[in-house]
Amino acid sequence: MLPKGYRYIYHYNAGSARLPHPPMLLWVEPTNRCNLRCTMCPNSLSGKSREHGDMSLDTFDAIVSQARGWVDIIYLFLAGESMLHRDLPEMIRRASSAGIRVVLHTNGCLVNEERAAALIDAGLHEISFSFDALDPAEYEQRRAGANYEKTLGNIIRFLEIKKQKNAKRPKVDIQCIDFRAQASRESVREFKSRFKGLPVDAVKVIPAHTWAGTFKDDASLHAAPGGRVYWPCKFPWASMAIAWNGDVVACCNDLFGEVRLGNVNETPLREIWNAKPMQRFREALLAQHFSEYPVCKNCDVPYNHNNARLPVRWARSLPNRALAGTFGLGIELARRAAASIKQAVKK
């Protein structure tokens, strides 16, 4: 059996619209409701709207049942705050029991002691707290409706509970967006010191992105600079995103379901993966034809230099870790790897 990583490398670089392999990553939206109105979020900025709702356990069970055996990771978030779904720990438990790793992104505001213990006990593989500011005043201005010290306290208590349980999982990341590109080493070091002695795996300070062109630069917000070279977005060659109502949408940035590629309540996932709408979508990305896909038109991802590298999650399935590298495989190496296995790929 050809390793997964090689298959994705080959068919992405070959420009295949119909794929002989299923996706290995799913973004699943428990809810699109949110407890905050963040100033950079499309939910606050775009003026667009979508019916709010929560995914039923029946729909989630159908997704997990179909994904068992071929999906490696389910990311339990999309447009909303997943902690608002009352059955979130049960969703995690069911996916984890099916052998699928579960990753959760949360703003942390609703992670109290009881919920923290429930997430850990459910078998969550990784949690990323989107804290998104080092400075208290900026945090509360960006994350309208949140309290800096309260949310920070929730994260610290989560880590303390994980330590008390002597739990190896979940892996814990804390992510801060440097909106003004002014984060100093001193401020980062001071922020990290708040977690001294606690089992946090990474504190990341990252540049802002444009949320598929929704977020625009102004005097106080600066997105990461894009490049000039277009690399087709890799998402539809390895991943699917599923909204709370079962709609399969373009990607994890299609927060309003502007591109509908099918619905898991009507059609099996494997059929949607290679149905005509999905094939046309891949062909449009390859040709840079975005008239039918407005969410892609102004997206910065295809021009980001990191998009020209093989994502680490793909590289992990390669047999040679040294080849894959810590941060991913360069696109030229990917092409050479693809060429070397061409004879092994039948479709």
Side-chain angles (χ1 to χ4, degrees), residues 16 22 25 53 55 57 67 82 104 108 113 115 162 185 188 229-230 278 287 307 314 332 334 338:
S16 303
L25 309 170
M55 180 174 285
L57 283 178
S82 299
L104 175 67
E113 290 192 15
R115 289 170 173 170
K162 180 188 173 186
R185 291 183 180 180
V188 174
V229 179
Y230 175 85
M278 184 68 82
N307 189 53
W314 295 16
E332 291 304 321

Side-chain angles (χ1 to χ4, degrees), residues 10-12 25 59 68 83 122 137 149 166 184 202 243 267 270 301:
Y10 175 81
H11 286 285
Y12 170 74
L25 309 170
T59 296
R68 185 194 297 265
M83 291 298 300
E149 289 297 338
N166 196 30
S184 66
T267 310
R270 292 288 291 266
V301 169

Side-chain angles (χ1 to χ4, degrees), residues 1-58:
M1 175 67 69
L2 200 63
K4 283 185 180 179
Y6 280 135
R7 299 185 73 84
Y8 291 104
I9 294 169
Y10 175 81
H11 286 285
Y12 170 74
N13 287 291
S16 303
R18 182 176 178 83
L19 305 177
H21 57 261
M24 64 179 181
L25 309 170
L26 293 182
W27 268 255
V28 178
E29 180 179 65
T31 181
N32 64 339
R33 297 181 293 121
C34 192
N35 57 314
L36 301 180
R37 296 297 292 175
C38 301
T39 59
M40 68 290 188
C41 180
N43 285 320
S44 303
L45 288 172
S46 67
K48 300 174 184 176
S49 63
R50 178 161 64 104
E51 180 185 0
H52 289 119
D54 297 349
M55 180 174 285
S56 70
L57 283 178
D58 286 343

Side-chain angles (χ1 to χ4, degrees), residues 33-44 77-82 105-110 128-152 155 174-179 191 206 209 211 221:
R33 297 181 293 121
C34 192
N35 57 314
L36 301 180
R37 296 297 292 175
C38 301
T39 59
M40 68 290 188
C41 180
N43 285 320
S44 303
F77 59 93
L78 198 63
E81 170 50 54
S82 299
H105 278 236
T106 173
N107 58 42
C109 297
L110 304 176
S128 179
F129 290 99
S130 299
F131 199 70
D132 289 348
L134 300 174
D135 176 73
E138 183 174 13
Y139 171 86
E140 292 178 6
Q141 186 261 317
R142 302 294 182 203
R143 288 201 169 272
N147 178 279
Y148 181 92
E149 289 297 338
K150 184 177 185 296
T151 307
L152 186 60
I155 297 172
I174 301 167
Q175 180 177 286
C176 295
I177 296 178
D178 185 12
F179 289 100
F191 183 75
I206 64 173
H209 61 91
W211 282 270
L221 301 173

Side-chain angles (χ1 to χ4, degrees), residues 23-28 63 67 70-71 73-75 240 242 269:
M24 64 179 181
L25 309 170
L26 293 182
W27 268 255
V28 178
I63 293 169
W70 48 272
V71 166
I73 303 174
I74 286 180
Y75 295 88
M240 295 178 82
I242 307 169
L269 281 174

Side-chain angles (χ1 to χ4, degrees), residues 116-127 157-172 197-201:
L119 292 175
I120 295 168
D121 293 343
L124 183 63
H125 185 268
E126 181 177 341
I127 186 169
R157 187 62 186 135
F158 182 95
L159 292 165
E160 290 172 343
I161 293 171
K162 180 188 173 186
K163 187 175 183 179
Q164 289 168 6
K165 288 177 172 290
N166 196 30
K168 293 183 179 180
R169 298 294 184 195
K171 175 186 175 183
V172 181
L198 295 172
V200 60
D201 293 277

